[in-house]
Amino acid sequence: MEAWAPFAEGKHNLFENETIMTIADKYGKSTGQVILRWLLQRGITVIPKSVHPQRMAENINVFDFELSADDMKTMASLDKGESQFFDHRDPVTIEQIFGSSLQQVKDSEI
Ligand SMILES: NC(=O)c1ccc[n+]([C@@H]2O[C@H](COP(=O)([O-])OP(=O)(O)OC[C@H]3O[C@@H](n4cnc5c(N)ncnc54)[C@H](OP(=O)(O)O)[C@@H]3O)[C@@H](O)[C@H]2O)c1
């Protein structure tokens, strides 16, 4: 499993989420670092993107702490049950992203 947008592309004020901020304070870490730990501790590869060197350094500095089982549960409780940047199961979205590739497949089937 690989998180292509571990920070939901920075949408929905994720970095200001109060629940995550509370957890982050406990460990002396940032919200971004807690999000990455939550993914990594579940065996998910993360590829966070930043154009800021300081944030890049912050995002890689996540291997010196571990979220407790309770904090992992709290993080999991934030799940909304749907993608926070786009729905891979929505035909309209898929058509927009992969439209030309889908057309090529359709053409090759004729
Ligand atoms: N999203 C997709 O569908 C998709 C598909 C294929 C590949 N990828 C790749 O996956 C990687 C993930 O990038 P992504 O842009 O999709 O989503 P992302 O990593 O979830 O979010 C990036 C956003 O988080 C901000 N950010 C990063 N670190 C931060 C920090 N420590 N504190 C505060 N804000 C922070 C970035 O702002 P700043 O840059 O201003 O720091 C940017 O707005 C990229 O390499 C991308 O090419 C993504």
Side-chain angles (χ1 to χ4, degrees), residues 16-63:
E16 279 82 46
N17 181 288
E18 287 193 9
T19 302
I20 307 175
M21 285 170 75
T22 302
I23 294 174
D25 280 351
K26 266 196 335 199
Y27 295 88
K29 289 289 183 178
S30 68
T31 50
Q33 288 170 319
V34 167
I35 291 165
L36 296 177
R37 267 316 294 192
W38 176 69
L39 291 162
L40 289 168
Q41 283 181 219
R42 292 158 60 224
I44 297 173
T45 299
V46 295
I47 45 171
K49 167 257 163 187
S50 179
V51 296
H52 297 99
Q54 193 182 338
R55 288 180 177 170
M56 291 177 198
E58 180 184 315
N59 293 344
I60 207 165
N61 182 22
V62 292
F63 298 101

Side-chain angles (χ1 to χ4, degrees), residues 68-103:
S68 69
D70 278 351
D71 288 332
M72 290 293 285
K73 265 191 210 161
T74 303
M75 289 294 287
S77 74
L78 299 174
D79 185 13
K80 295 184 186 307
E82 59 186 17
S83 168
Q84 293 304 293
F85 58 102
F86 69 76
D87 185 353
H88 298 78
R89 292 161 295 188
D90 173 26
V92 174
T93 304
I94 297 305
E95 186 72 39
Q96 284 168 354
I97 298 170
F98 299 110
S100 58
S101 307
L102 289 173
Q103 192 56 51

